[in-house]
Amino acid sequence: MKRFVPLGLALTLALSLAGCGGPKVVTVTPEEAATPAPQEETEQQPTAAPAGDFYTLSSNYLTGSGFNTGDAWYSLENHLGYCLVTKTDYAAATRRVLCSVAGCAHDSESCPAWLPGRGNEVRLFTAGDTVYVYHPVATMHYEGSWDDYYAEVVEPKLKERPQGWEDLTNEELVTFCRGRYEECSAPAGLYCIEGDGASRQDIQTSQDLRNVMVGWCDGTALYGYGSSDSAVGNSIGYRISLADGAVTTFSMMPQENIVGAQGDRLLTFHIVTEVPLPDYNTEGWDAYQAVLQNATVEYDWLDPATGARSKVLERPHDNSTYGNADFFGLLDGKLYFEDWTPSENGDSRRDAFCAYDTATGQWQDLLRPIPNESMQLANVTVAALPGSAEQQGRYLWLSGSDNGNGENLGWMLDTQSGKLIQVTQRTGGEDVSGWLAGVVAFTDDGRFLVRTAQQEGEYGPVYVYGLIDAEAFLQGSTEYTPITTGE
C-alpha cells in the first residue's frame, strides 16, 4: 500500500552503495530502518502549537512525486546527475523549471531549482510564497570524500562496464556518479526556493534525524516521528522549523506511529495488548506473537503541542508487521480501510472497501462486494494544500490487472455520486501502450492533470501531461489541453 527506464534502473543498481564495500559506506538493514540511529541530544522545549492546518508532503513512497497547491503542481524533472524542481501552472497550461535567473542553463548548483542526484528520497511542498524541498540523510549514506567514492565505486564500474553503462561516455557516467555522490553524502536540510524562482536559501537542520519519517507540515514547521522496533521502545515526535532548521521533540506513546493529519491534529496509531508486549529480541518471536493474538490497533488524534490524545477508533490487529495493513490513509476526515473475511481454508478474502467518518463516528461501505478480485484501493493520502479541492476526497483511484491480456486496469470512484467508472484511456508511447493514463492531480477548477504519454529522452523517459475536465475524462474523453514546456 505504501507502495526510467533501463538506464536509470541499471545505474541505480550498479551504484548501490551497499555492495561497494569499504568502511565509509553506511547501509541500513530493514530492522535498523525501523530504529532511529542515536541522535544528538535534542533541545527539550515545549512544542509550539500548530501554526495552521496540517497537510502531507510529497514523497515517492507515500503520496507520489508531486505537490498540488490547487492552481499549480510542483514536481521533479530528472536529468543526468541532477534533477530540477518544476512548476505546472494549470491556468496557463505550462510547465517550466522553477528558476527566473536570467541566462541560467539550469545545469548546476547555481540554479535555484537544481538538486543533486535523482531526488528519490526528498519531500516537496509549499508554505506561503516559498517552495521547499526537505532532503533527509540518504538511506544509503556515504561518509567519505568524492575521491574515496570515485576510487571505491566509480572507477571499478568504468572498467567493468556493467549493464546500463554501455552507451554512455566516461564523462557522462562520471557526471551521473558525482550527482549520486553529492546526494548520498549531504546532511539533512531544506532548499527554500522563492515562489518566482529568483533565488534559493539552503538551511541545514540542527540534527540529521536519520531514519525519522518526516511527512507533515503546518505552514511553519515539519513534523515526523522515529520509532523503535523493540517491543518496549518509545516513539519520539520531531518538529523542524522552516525558519532555521531547528529540531525539537514532542512526546509520543511506545511504538506510536503518525499516519496522517487533519486540522491542527496528527493521526496516530499504536498497538493495544492485554499484557505488555515482550521484547522479541530477548524473549523470542513466539512469545511476542502469542501476545499479539488478542491485540487491537488504536487510532488517536494527537495534539503535538500539549500531548492531548483522543481516541478515534479501535480495530483488530491483522497479524501484519504493524497490525494495520488494512489501513489506506486519511482524507477529508475519513479513515479508509479494506475489509477482509477469513475463509474456510484459512486464507482471507477481500470483501469491501470502507471508510470511517471521524466527524459522525459512522462507517460507510464504498464498495461491497468488490466487483473485480484484482481491484485494490490506492493510498488515498494526497500531497496538497489545506482547502484545495483534492483535499475534499471526491475521487478515489483503484487499480487492478488483467493478467490474461497483460494490461493494467483502473477505476475512479466518485464518492459524491457513488459511481464507479472504469478508466479506459491509455498512455501513449512505445512499450507503454498497456499502461493507463495516470491521473496525478485534481485542480481547484475541476480538472484532472493527466500523464498522457511517455517519450524517450536522451537519458531516460520524458513524460507528457495534459489537462481535462474531470467529468469528460470519466466519460472516456481524450480531449486533453496539452501542457507546454519551456524555460
Side-chain angles (χ1 to χ4, degrees), residues 252-314:
M252 296 180 67
M253 296 180 64
Q255 289 200 318
E256 186 175 23
N257 292 353
I258 302 172
V259 290
Q262 183 82 30
D264 60 357
R265 298 177 296 182
L266 301 169
L267 179 70
T268 71
F269 82 91
H270 64 277
I271 298 172
V272 179
T273 57
E274 295 177 350
V275 298
L277 272 170
D279 188 337
Y280 53 74
N281 293 310
T282 58
E283 299 185 46
W285 186 249
D286 290 342
Y288 182 82
Q289 286 292 315
V291 174
L292 286 180
Q293 294 302 309
N294 297 313
T296 60
V297 174
E298 180 178 309
Y299 294 84
D300 295 327
W301 291 125
L302 172 65
D303 181 343
T306 65
R309 182 180 283 97
S310 59
K311 182 176 177 179
V312 177
L313 81 159
E314 200 164 353

Side-chain angles (χ1 to χ4, degrees), residues 8-331:
L9 177 59
L11 287 177
T12 299
L13 292 176
L15 284 171
S16 175
L17 300 180
C20 75
K24 299 181 181 66
V25 179
V26 179
T27 59
V28 181
T29 66
E31 293 79 10
E32 291 167 340
T35 307
Q39 308 290 342
E40 299 173 8
E41 186 175 348
T42 306
E43 185 178 359
Q44 296 295 323
Q45 296 179 345
T47 298
D53 286 348
F54 282 112
Y55 52 98
T56 303
L57 316 181
S58 166
S59 66
N60 280 325
Y61 56 86
L62 184 63
T63 59
S65 59
F67 186 82
N68 184 14
T69 62
D71 58 4
W73 188 62
Y74 295 88
S75 60
L76 298 181
E77 178 180 280
N78 286 113
H79 295 264
L80 187 68
Y82 65 97
C83 52
L84 297 169
V85 178
T86 67
K87 176 183 179 179
T88 300
D89 185 303
Y90 301 147
T94 58
R95 184 176 187 228
R96 69 175 183 87
V97 176
L98 191 62
C99 170
S100 58
V101 177
C104 183
H106 313 313
D107 60 358
S108 71
E109 60 185 0
S110 63
C111 174
W114 184 93
L115 312 179
R118 302 200 55 80
N120 289 335
E121 298 182 66
V122 304
R123 279 72 148 156
L124 180 64
F125 63 102
T126 68
D129 296 328
T130 304
V131 179
Y132 292 89
V133 179
Y134 170 70
H135 57 96
V137 175
T139 302
M140 291 182 175
H141 183 64
Y142 192 84
E143 296 183 337
S145 67
W146 163 246
D147 289 340
D148 294 333
Y149 185 85
Y150 185 90
E152 295 174 13
V153 179
V154 182
E155 194 169 35
K157 298 302 181 184
L158 290 174
K159 294 177 180 177
E160 297 166 10
R161 285 284 176 166
Q163 183 180 4
W165 293 58
E166 304 94 337
D167 300 327
L168 297 182
T169 66
N170 281 2
E171 183 180 5
E172 288 172 323
L173 291 169
V174 171
T175 297
F176 176 89
C177 295
R178 184 61 189 247
R180 178 65 174 153
Y181 163 76
E182 292 181 6
E183 182 179 30
C184 292
S185 60
L190 289 158
Y191 301 133
C192 315
I193 309 170
E194 287 189 22
D196 61 359
S199 64
R200 181 177 98 191
Q201 177 188 11
D202 293 354
I203 298 174
Q204 186 172 333
T205 58
S206 62
Q207 292 183 41
D208 277 343
L209 301 183
R210 190 170 300 169
N211 304 326
V212 171
M213 169 59 191
V214 176
W216 300 271
C217 183
D218 67 358
T220 64
L222 302 182
Y223 292 76
Y225 71 97
S227 59
S228 169
D229 86 327
S230 166
V232 295
N234 290 323
S235 295
I236 301 173
Y238 294 92
R239 182 182 185 273
I240 305 171
S241 169
L242 298 184
D244 58 9
V247 176
T248 54
T249 63
F250 56 92
S251 298
M252 296 180 67
M253 296 180 64
Q255 289 200 318
E256 186 175 23
N257 292 353
I258 302 172
V259 290
Q262 183 82 30
D264 60 357
R265 298 177 296 182
L266 301 169
L267 179 70
T268 71
F269 82 91
H270 64 277
I271 298 172
V272 179
T273 57
E274 295 177 350
V275 298
L277 272 170
D279 188 337
Y280 53 74
N281 293 310
T282 58
E283 299 185 46
W285 186 249
D286 290 342
Y288 182 82
Q289 286 292 315
V291 174
L292 286 180
Q293 294 302 309
N294 297 313
T296 60
V297 174
E298 180 178 309
Y299 294 84
D300 295 327
W301 291 125
L302 172 65
D303 181 343
T306 65
R309 182 180 283 97
S310 59
K311 182 176 177 179
V312 177
L313 81 159
E314 200 164 353
R315 297 270 292 173
H317 190 286
D318 61 15
N319 295 318
S320 63
T321 301
Y322 297 106
N324 71 331
D326 58 352
F327 175 68
F328 281 79
L330 167 70
L331 185 58

Side-chain angles (χ1 to χ4, degrees), residues 350-419:
R350 185 190 297 112
D351 287 338
F353 303 117
C354 51
Y356 179 81
D357 190 330
T358 60
T360 65
Q362 300 296 313
W363 284 95
Q364 173 192 3
D365 280 344
L366 302 174
L367 290 174
R368 186 186 294 272
I370 296 174
N372 184 299
E373 63 179 10
S374 74
M375 186 181 289
Q376 297 186 44
L377 181 64
N379 184 10
V380 303
T381 303
V382 298
L385 283 180
S388 63
E390 190 164 26
Q391 287 282 16
Q392 298 171 10
R394 176 170 179 178
Y395 298 105
L396 298 180
W397 181 265
L398 301 105
S399 61
S401 60
D402 181 344
N403 293 329
N405 295 317
E407 290 186 334
N408 297 327
L409 300 177
W411 300 263
M412 193 73 78
L413 176 64
D414 184 342
T415 61
Q416 191 174 96
S417 67
K419 292 182 179 178

